[in-house]
Amino acid sequence: MRRKTLVAGNWKMYKLSAAARELAAAIRQGLGSEQRVDVAICPPFPWLTAVAEVLRGSPIAVGAQNVYPGNEGAFTGEVNSAMLLDAGCKYVIVGHSERRHVIGEKDQFLNDKAKAALQAGLHVIFCVGEKLEERDANKTEAVLDNQLTWGLKDVPAAHAPRLVIAYEPVWAIGSGRNATPEQAQQAHVFIRWRFSQLFGNEAAEKLVIQYGGSVKPDNAASLLSQPDVDGALVGGASLQADSFLKIIRAAVV
Ligand code: PEP
């Protein structure tokens, strides 16, 4: 089955407002009416509305990089799903390795975020991936299993179609060292198999699994040509229109 490819740019904590608008406008212009690949960009919170304005009427979706699993209330500094939807978001990234390993978010909290965002109607890009020492100790599948089991616990099957999984080996993020296409394919097959156990074969066949970790214009095509690599979550290379557009074009088969 041919799944539609999703290329998403994670801008992390980069860009001030003018640069964010310019980048979104350049991506919009460069992409034209291309619709064979789904494209999303995930700017920092303060620029979500401005970027959504720039992208209005285009095929490019907006995503947030984080969400808090609550309704409105006394949660200083947090942003909930209703606010993200109101700001124009379709997607939200949950479980990025920087939130797991730098900020210290745990499976239970990530599970609460995923459930709340899905319940609200957002599409969730749920990130999983092993650290280098875990890969070296042959624990990659055990780590992925754990992150999927606890991170997606009690997600209703009806919400599975709005889940995207991003396989992002921690050792490949921002390091310039990407997984080989074979390593990515192997991990994606495992993720799809585990997802089928959780949500059934049909949902697993339709599941978009992105690869993330130092995706660049020169390695995108070989990664994206793997049968179970259905897109890319791009950090560094999404910060320039030229490199991001080249990755999107590599995804057009
Ligand atoms: C990411 O931020 O999810 C990521 C994969 O970053 P980079 O492409 O810079 O490795």
Side-chain angles (χ1 to χ4, degrees), residues 219-234:
N219 61 25
S222 58
L223 287 159
L224 288 161
S225 68
Q226 296 297 309
D228 286 276
V229 177
D230 312 310
L233 182 54
V234 187

Side-chain angles (χ1 to χ4, degrees), residues 144-197:
L144 298 178
D145 191 345
N146 214 43
Q147 291 173 338
L148 291 167
T149 303
W150 298 111
L152 303 181
K153 189 171 183 301
D154 298 331
V155 167
H159 293 172
R162 279 186 284 106
L163 269 171
V164 171
I165 305 292
Y167 170 59
E168 299 207 304
V170 181
W171 46 273
I173 298 178
S175 65
R177 177 183 164 188
N178 62 292
T180 64
E182 294 72 26
Q183 285 172 322
Q185 169 64 13
Q186 203 177 3
H188 285 216
V189 167
F190 177 80
I191 290 167
R192 200 176 302 286
W193 170 77
R194 187 67 188 104
F195 199 87
S196 77
Q197 288 189 320

Side-chain angles (χ1 to χ4, degrees), residues 56 94 128 239:
R56 179 163 300 159
V94 173
V128 294
L239 293 171

